[in-house]
Amino acid sequence: MNGRAGYTLIELIMVIVLLSIVATVSVRFVGLSTQGALDTSARQLRALQSVVVSEQLTRELRAAFPLSVRTSGACIEWLPLEAGTNYLRRTRGPNFNEIEIAPFSQPPSTENKRTVIYGYGTSTGDLYTASDPGPVSSTISAVDNNSTPATITLDSSHRFKGNSPARRLFVVGEPVSVCQSDRYLYRYSDYTPTSTQATPPAGTREVLSASLTGTVDFRVVPATLQRAAVVQFTFALESLDGDETTTVSQEVQIRNVP
């Protein structure tokens, strides 16, 4: 009589155990692969965010009046340049409120704008307040770019403290600040300039980054007659679980020469 073919209980248990091992390894492999893809995506997102933040800061700082850049703690502040030209004659009597200039290639707006001539030898705070005499004028009331010569008319009389060797005149706007607050990096604008840097200032606030860790480090190497100003900033972005950070360090040259 022929025996019937089949599996023994021991063989069945061994197959179940082996399948369980294979399934466990497969699930673990898929889990690690998925986690690796998520980690890579998170790193790429932090890298992209760091590029966007550093590029925005770099572009704005490059268009700053170089002598106006100042830092205090985790804040940096500057006066943005709106336009530049050569002046032919500074303000003179009897009203001391008109500057003769070479025409602007693109005339700037006049709202809350001021003119700056030179500025070396003065404190940074003097560039934020219109002292008379001083390097920064009162606000501009009008720009006549079509007259001969072109002229800038000020709201009130002003005497400039010094001459620019290159006879350069700049038009600057309202100050801009970037400050850290806990995990956030904010950009501040639309506020009144003061001789002492406010940290942070009052004004319109926009979020630049929401995942900072540590303290943002802003440093300024002031401009001299021989070289441009240099701004250095370093910040770190943290992953959501706090296990990884991405550190960014950048140097920005401010080439505008008063």
Side-chain angles (χ1 to χ4, degrees), residues 193-209:
T194 56
S195 58
T196 303
Q197 184 178 1
T199 55
T204 303
R205 189 175 73 174
E206 305 169 83
V207 177
L208 292 184
S209 178

Side-chain angles (χ1 to χ4, degrees), residues 1 31 49 77 96 105 111 124 132-133 137 175 181 183 231 247:
M1 187 174 179
Q49 183 182 2
E77 185 177 30
F96 291 96
S105 58
E111 184 178 2
T124 305
D132 187 15
S137 74
S181 177
R183 291 174 56 87
V231 175
T247 302

